[in-house]
Amino acid sequence: GLEALMSRRPVRVELYEDTAHEWRWRAVAANGKTVADSAEGYVEKRDALGEAWALFGETVTYSTQALEP
C-alpha cells in the first residue's frame, strides 16, 4: 500500500568519491535502501550534485560520504 511505497521514496542523496576519484550520487529511501544512483562518475563534485539536484531538488536532504572502498 501507500506506506510501503513511501518507505521506498528517496529521502536523502549521498554524494561520494569512488575509488577512481570520481564523484557519484545515490538516492536512499527511508528504509535505508538505495533506490537510484548516478550512471556515471563526475570529475567535479558540483557536477554530480547538479545532476542529483535536477532530479530531486529540495525534496531530499544532501550529504557527502567518505571515499567508497
Side-chain angles (χ1 to χ4, degrees), residues 5-13 27-30 35-36 56 59-60:
L5 180 63
M6 292 304 288
S7 73
R8 293 189 302 266
R9 180 181 141 307
V11 295
R12 77 176 180 276
V13 170
V28 181
V35 294
F56 303 106
T59 64
V60 298

Side-chain angles (χ1 to χ4, degrees), residues 14 25-29 31-37:
E14 299 172 345
W25 61 264
R26 65 178 151 240
V28 181
N31 63 7
K33 296 194 184 275
T34 298
V35 294
D37 60 28

Side-chain angles (χ1 to χ4, degrees), residues 11-65:
V11 295
R12 77 176 180 276
V13 170
E14 299 172 345
L15 298 168
Y16 64 95
E17 191 176 8
D18 66 17
T19 56
H21 302 288
E22 294 184 326
W23 286 95
R24 296 179 176 269
W25 61 264
R26 65 178 151 240
V28 181
N31 63 7
K33 296 194 184 275
T34 298
V35 294
D37 60 28
S38 57
E40 62 183 290
Y42 297 88
V43 174
E44 300 291 332
K45 181 180 177 182
R46 69 174 176 252
D47 294 332
L49 176 59
E51 181 188 338
W53 184 265
L55 293 168
F56 303 106
E58 295 179 4
T59 64
V60 298
T61 58
Y62 293 84
S63 66
T64 300
Q65 302 298 311

